[in-house]
Amino acid sequence: MPERGAPRRTGAGAKLWAGRFLEPTNPLVDAYTSSLDVDRRMAAEDVRGSIAHARMLAKQGIIPNEDAEKIIEGLTQVAREIETGTFEMDERLEDVHMNVEARLAQLIGPEAAGRLHTARSRNDQVVTDLRLWLKTAIAETIAALHDLERALVEVATENRRVVMPGYTHLQRAQPVLLAHHLLAYFEMFERDIGRFADCYARTDVMGLGSGALAGVPYPIDREMVAQELEFSALSANSIDAVSDRDFVAEYLAAAAIAMMHLSRLAEEVVLWSTTEFGYVELPDAFSTGSSIMPQKKNPDVAELARGKTGRVYGALVSLLTTMKGLPLAYNRDMQEDKAPLFEAYDTLTSSLEVMSELMVNLRFRPLRMRRGSEGYLLATDIADYLTRKGMPFREAHNIVGRLVAYAEDEGRDLSRISLEEYRRFSPLFEADVLEIDVWTSVRSRDVIGGTAPRRVSAALRRARAILRRREEA
Ligand code: ARG
């Protein structure tokens, strides 16, 4: 064991922070504290951040130009190795940051490499890497939501003349257009995109320059680094900068809500594909069979999209719980922020992607949907008919309620009730009551946001314009 004051081991394998340590770390501790398996995913961001940092250090005269050049050359080589998958990381080196720096030292020697970490701490480094990573991830999440929206608009457009029963309490309620129903999801995913865009703005803030927590005692140029890394803003408080993970929480919250929406869509696909509903037929390529029941075709993709929602909710709760009650500033607990973030991102984007494909490949069965929308679903329309003739709606509701009970007793659909029978319930009924059908019903919902075909066509035009605008941006 080396004595205090003795020269230290500095070769490969020595920890970069081992200066004050006399004993090596217990292997259990190495394994337990390592985050490499998770944060290796940010290797490219780590290199990018370091290059910008080194360039600034040289420009400010904080490190010699020649060293900065070597550092940048070395890091560029590391970036190539990352890209080609040849960058070999060492588990004992704790995390991706240490690995990049150690590799840099191998490439350019410890002297120049040792200057890179001037005016920086892993605390402001890790948050910068994570923000860089998340900015790209948010853009990709928005793109995946956008693609699903486009799939929904496509399916809605192809089926714009299909009527289906709208439901409340999962009971048939009123006829609606299938396109109207699908566009409801368009609205949800639009709000999701809005949430991710908001989250992007708060992620787009650079913490580098905060040091460990107090700022750094060098004349750094934070603006220069932010510009190079394409951050729109600088963190305003160094303590907050290294301890803030709100942007992760926001991403996870937005992801949880988006998965909640997706799970509702998935649930409808599951329901609609049952024999009981029979509204859609699943494409073979998106279903699986049963190992025992030869007749089965299971909606596994939709079920898994529904089921994986649990992981994303779990990720949100995991992060919030990790952050809860942490004193300022950085605490090692915060290393646990990345696993849930990556998992939520992977789950959400893969679920969005496969559900988009599933939606455009569903075969709808318009006749089944149409048949499901007839009959008692027109009861509200009949009550509205009486109301238009001057009867208070409450009274009309009551009369039509009795009419429905009568038709049910007779085992007949409302369309099989004669005018003479109608008139037994109210003298206000005239021959035109027999004209009420699913089409008069949907056409009459001619209000902003209603299911009338012309309103739905307008909604489709609006949706396409939103998609187009985003694609052009
Ligand atoms: N691996 C660490 C993390 O992800 C990097 C920051 C470590 N900072 C420290 N002071 N130990 O949080």
Side-chain angles (χ1 to χ4, degrees):
M1 193 188 291
E3 280 168 29
R4 283 194 192 277
R8 315 308 298 262
R9 193 164 66 101
T10 51
K15 296 224 161 54
L16 296 169
W17 42 251
R20 60 102 70 220
F21 288 79
L22 296 176
E23 289 172 35
T25 332
N26 183 306
L28 273 178
V29 175
D30 277 338
Y32 190 69
T33 57
S34 172
S35 56
L36 188 61
D37 274 345
V38 174
D39 61 27
R40 59 194 317 144
R41 229 174 135 154
M42 308 190 304
E45 287 76 13
D46 193 68
V47 169
R48 195 178 160 209
S50 287
I51 290 178
H53 182 65
R55 196 164 282 147
M56 178 279 290
L57 291 178
K59 197 212 81 184
Q60 297 297 99
I62 300 168
I63 65 171
N65 267 324
E66 316 86 80
D67 285 343
E69 271 160 33
K70 278 196 217 159
I71 289 173
I72 291 165
E73 224 172 88
L75 287 171
T76 308
Q77 167 66 20
V78 178
R80 263 195 300 273
E81 293 178 3
I82 292 166
E83 232 169 89
T84 54
T86 53
F87 182 33
E88 278 180 31
M89 302 199 207
D90 181 349
E91 192 64 46
R92 284 165 308 171
L93 288 177
E94 228 180 287
D95 58 24
V96 67
H97 322 291
M98 296 304 205
N99 269 277
V100 168
E101 207 180 313
R103 178 70 186 132
L104 181 66
Q106 278 175 7
L107 289 168
I108 67 167
E111 168 92 24
R115 295 196 198 281
L116 170 61
H117 211 51
T118 313
R120 189 176 73 172
S121 150
R122 257 188 306 159
N123 298 349
D124 58 350
Q125 183 179 359
V126 69
V127 75
T128 303
D129 293 1
L130 191 55
R131 285 174 180 275
L132 280 174
W133 183 89
L134 188 53
K135 281 172 59 176
T136 308
I138 293 172
E140 263 151 35
T141 305
I142 290 176
L145 284 161
H146 177 93
D147 288 348
L148 176 55
E149 288 184 351
R150 184 144 37 70
L152 290 169
V153 169
E154 212 174 280
V155 176
T157 306
E158 272 166 28
N159 296 281
R160 62 188 173 283
R161 273 177 249 297
V162 176
V163 215
M164 66 173 287
Y167 293 81
T168 64
H169 313 263
L170 199 56
Q171 305 284 327
R172 289 176 179 177
Q174 290 174 351
V176 294
L177 292 186
L178 170 60
H180 194 54
H181 189 103
L182 293 172
L183 285 176
Y185 286 99
F186 180 90
E187 294 300 317
M188 295 178 225
F189 296 126
E190 266 304 290
R191 288 194 296 273
D192 290 326
I193 287 177
R195 269 182 284 273
F196 283 111
D198 287 349
C199 164
Y200 186 93
R202 275 178 296 275
T203 303
D204 193 13
V205 175
M206 192 191 74
L208 211 58
S210 303
L213 80 163
V216 296
Y218 298 91
I220 58 169
D221 183 349
R222 297 189 69 201
E223 261 114 18
M224 174 186 170
V225 181
Q227 204 167 17
E228 173 153 350
L229 295 178
E230 296 173 278
F231 277 109
S232 307
L234 297 178
S235 56
N237 178 300
S238 61
I239 296 175
D240 178 49
V242 293
S243 54
D244 168 29
R245 293 294 184 273
D246 290 4
F247 60 100
V248 180
E250 284 186 46
Y251 179 88
L252 293 175
I257 297 174
M259 282 303 288
M260 178 265 283
H261 293 151
L262 199 60
S263 77
R264 296 181 76 172
L265 179 61
E267 168 67 3
E268 300 214 287
V269 172
V270 171
L271 282 174
W272 292 358
S273 66
T274 57
T275 313
E276 285 76 1
F277 275 80
Y279 292 167
V280 295
E281 203 187 310
L282 295 168
D284 283 355
F286 285 81
S287 358
T288 62
S290 155
S291 54
I292 175 169
M293 297 164 281
Q295 85 282 11
K296 290 205 64 182
K297 200 160 147 186
N298 297 328
D300 304 55
V301 166
E303 290 173 281
L304 281 168
R306 192 177 60 184
K308 283 171 190 273
T309 304
R311 292 193 192 215
V312 179
Y313 289 7
L316 172 62
V317 173
S318 167
L319 188 272
L320 290 175
T321 310
T322 295
M323 297 305 295
K324 176 188 174 296
L326 286 188
L328 297 177
Y330 178 84
N331 298 271
R332 191 63 179 269
D333 315 47
M334 290 160 68
Q335 179 168 288
E336 293 298 310
D337 57 356
K338 286 162 219 76
L341 176 61
F342 295 163
E343 161 140 73
Y345 168 76
D346 291 341
T347 305
L348 174 58
T349 51
S350 61
S351 302
L352 287 168
E353 190 186 359
V354 70
M355 282 297 291
S356 304
E357 277 300 307
L358 174 61
M359 290 313 292
V360 294
N361 283 292
L362 284 178
R363 273 185 294 278
F364 285 89
R365 299 175 66 193
L367 234 87
R368 286 278 305 186
M369 290 189 149
R370 160 74 201 240
R371 256 184 237 131
S373 350
E374 287 163 354
Y376 301 125
L377 281 81
L378 299 172
T380 320
D381 295 85
I382 298 170
D384 288 325
Y385 173 94
L386 291 176
T387 306
R388 272 196 298 274
K389 302 228 162 174
M391 188 182 284
F393 182 77
R394 279 288 162 234
E395 191 185 337
H397 183 284
N398 189 271
I399 285 174
V400 179
R402 281 189 279 127
L403 183 71
V404 167
Y406 166 80
E408 249 174 1
D409 273 353
E410 294 276 306
R412 277 188 284 156
D413 195 79
L414 281 179
S415 61
R416 299 267 178 270
I417 301 296
S418 69
L419 178 58
E420 190 268 318
E421 287 169 295
Y422 268 112
R423 292 181 64 86
R424 275 187 238 153
F425 289 84
S426 165
L428 290 178
F429 283 124
E430 288 170 83
D432 58 351
V433 73
L434 302 177
E435 284 161 23
I436 293 175
D437 68 4
V438 290
W439 284 107
T440 60
S441 173
V442 291
R443 254 186 260 123
S444 68
R445 264 73 189 181
D446 190 10
V447 295
I448 294 170
T451 197
R454 71 181 200 101
R455 298 291 184 171
V456 175
S457 295
L460 277 169
R461 277 196 300 279
R462 172 180 163 271
R464 277 191 292 265
I466 289 171
L467 292 175
R468 213 178 311 117
R469 228 174 296 131
R470 199 176 295 124
E471 277 157 24
E472 283 162 5

